[in-house]
Amino acid sequence: MRGAIRVIARAMELLQYRAGKKALEILRTRGLSPNELQALLLPAIGPKWLVLAGFDRALLREGWFDALPGRLLLFGASVGAWRALALAAREPERAHAALLEAYCSQRFSEDDSPSAISDAYRRLLRDVFSDSDLANAAHHPKLDLAIATARARGPLAFNGHFAQAAALGSAAVLNSLSPRAQRLFYQRVVFVTGPEGQAPYPMLRAAGGIRTRLTARNMREVALASGTVPLYMKLVRGIPDAPSGAYLDGGFSDYHLNRSADAGEGLSILFLHQSRIIPSWLDKFVPWRHAGPKALSRLLLVHPSDAFVRSLPGSAVPTRDDFKRFVREPEARIARWRAVAAQSGELASSFLRDVTSGAIAGRARAL
């Protein structure tokens, strides 16, 4: 039965393309190549990133980053930040493969404390990224990194479960009334490689919050903070060369895209698992909230078709809930996640075919 489903999926379109006004113009007049790429946006989507892993591998394998005529911005939050570190590592294909395997292989029990879970991910980052990887990412000849975090305010900054739960509940209610209410609970802090305060990309200059420097010295702690889920993990404090405070998941401020996608004269690509672009994590519960046409003008959104998702193991994209669903059989979860990551190569191959043939220009629809 599964084989039949996958045959049907291959016979149909595996990918969907949506593009803003300027991005459509670029695709239809010049096509897509490293020459047109200004930013790669790496969202805070937890295990859902496994269905996108093939895109990372394909860009590395096909030499897109080596062929860049100028510099490229990698903007990431949470697991997207970890992908950015892998892509900018000294040996990116090795680092990406190590990240993928370490991420899939994590095991947690129902009794694990927030400290234990944080320690596990701290070890993952230490084991996957060597000091030379971090040094390369901090001074990469082609890539600029920007990692989003959220600096907690008020009760959210406490490590107590009750205080955090109450703060998040209040934040969700107030956010449904106005996105500005999020500022009461956390502040966006974006760590950027290069001289402190330097932001040559319009999308970094225009966003709210503060920018500070991302260095080899603070990169692991920043990456951990960007992926720290409150209630389940211990907030990160004492990040070197950073404003003091308690830091948590960057997806709270930048989930999929919560700013203009304008990074220069080219376009920005967002590989995503779904068609809906959600600005901040709390906006998952506010279905009417989305970025405006002006902010998306230079964005190319690439996401799998419904048919492809149905062809995946379990007919679904992996989620963090899988840890609970398979808590007593982690090997089943690990096998499923590895299979999804492997199958994501089909999406990458389809993308490269559409780019090489120029079909992407005709298939792209307006955002």
Side-chain angles (χ1 to χ4, degrees), residues 81-139:
W82 303 359
R83 292 168 63 196
L85 294 190
L87 295 174
R90 184 182 179 188
E91 299 177 82
E93 291 187 71
R94 178 210 60 79
H96 191 275
L99 173 63
L100 180 61
E101 178 56 26
Y103 191 91
C104 289
S105 299
Q106 289 288 79
R107 292 170 170 82
F108 299 109
S109 74
E110 296 170 315
D111 298 325
D112 283 330
S113 67
S115 293
I117 295 174
S118 291
D119 288 345
Y121 283 115
R122 182 175 276 108
R123 286 193 300 272
L124 180 151
L125 294 170
R126 182 194 63 212
D127 293 343
V128 169
F129 301 113
S130 67
D131 290 345
S132 61
D133 285 332
L134 302 184
N136 198 76
H139 303 284

Side-chain angles (χ1 to χ4, degrees), residues 55-360:
F55 293 114
D56 298 344
R57 293 194 298 260
L59 295 180
L60 289 170
R61 185 179 65 250
E62 298 298 317
W64 274 54
F65 302 130
D66 296 328
L68 291 167
R71 301 193 67 78
L72 174 72
L73 175 65
L74 302 182
F75 184 94
S78 194
V79 74
W82 303 359
R83 292 168 63 196
L85 294 190
L87 295 174
R90 184 182 179 188
E91 299 177 82
E93 291 187 71
R94 178 210 60 79
H96 191 275
L99 173 63
L100 180 61
E101 178 56 26
Y103 191 91
C104 289
S105 299
Q106 289 288 79
R107 292 170 170 82
F108 299 109
S109 74
E110 296 170 315
D111 298 325
D112 283 330
S113 67
S115 293
I117 295 174
S118 291
D119 288 345
Y121 283 115
R122 182 175 276 108
R123 286 193 300 272
L124 180 151
L125 294 170
R126 182 194 63 212
D127 293 343
V128 169
F129 301 113
S130 67
D131 290 345
S132 61
D133 285 332
L134 302 184
N136 198 76
H139 303 284
H140 199 281
K142 292 281 189 178
L143 305 177
D144 294 315
L145 274 62
I147 295 180
T149 66
R151 184 166 60 158
R153 288 173 165 163
L156 187 57
F158 302 154
N159 275 317
H161 188 278
F162 178 80
Q164 286 187 0
L168 290 173
S170 299
V173 171
L174 293 177
N175 179 64
S176 68
L177 302 176
S178 171
R180 294 183 179 182
Q182 295 183 34
R183 301 174 190 174
L184 300 173
F185 301 91
Y186 42 80
Q187 176 189 39
R188 172 194 280 135
V189 181
V190 179
F191 292 80
V192 186
T193 54
E196 186 172 359
Q198 177 177 312
Y201 302 96
M203 66 177 291
L204 294 184
R205 293 197 301 266
I210 62 175
R211 296 188 307 272
T212 191
R213 193 174 178 190
L214 179 65
T215 68
R217 181 170 179 253
N218 65 17
M219 203 169 279
R220 283 197 191 93
E221 287 299 294
V222 171
L224 178 64
S226 188
T228 290
V229 181
L231 302 180
Y232 295 97
M233 297 173 68
K234 186 178 179 180
L235 304 192
V236 177
R237 290 177 166 82
I239 297 176
D241 309 318
S244 62
Y247 288 79
L248 63 145
D249 201 306
F252 277 89
S253 61
D254 297 86
Y255 189 47
H256 297 164
L257 179 63
N258 196 13
R259 60 182 67 224
S260 169
D262 185 355
E265 294 303 312
L267 53 78
S268 300
I269 294 182
L270 172 61
F271 295 113
L272 197 59
H273 63 288
Q274 63 181 36
S275 60
R276 182 191 172 199
I277 301 174
I278 304 174
S280 74
W281 187 84
L282 290 174
D283 292 329
K284 291 196 302 181
F285 314 107
V286 188
W288 58 86
R289 189 161 296 153
H290 53 80
K294 186 176 180 180
L296 302 178
S297 181
R298 291 188 177 274
L299 180 70
L300 171 63
L301 170 66
V302 182
H303 67 88
S305 66
D306 291 342
F308 180 83
V309 172
R310 288 193 297 270
S311 77
L312 293 173
S315 300
V317 174
T319 71
R320 192 172 285 111
D321 288 341
D322 290 346
F323 280 116
K324 295 180 179 179
R325 186 176 301 115
F326 295 97
V327 68
R328 300 188 187 281
E329 45 181 348
E331 293 299 334
R333 173 189 56 78
I334 292 169
R336 178 174 290 192
W337 283 14
R338 286 172 176 162
V340 170
Q343 196 173 334
S344 71
E346 297 178 22
L347 295 180
S349 296
S350 180
F351 172 73
L352 292 176
R353 285 195 300 269
D354 289 340
V355 169
T356 302
S357 67
I360 190 172

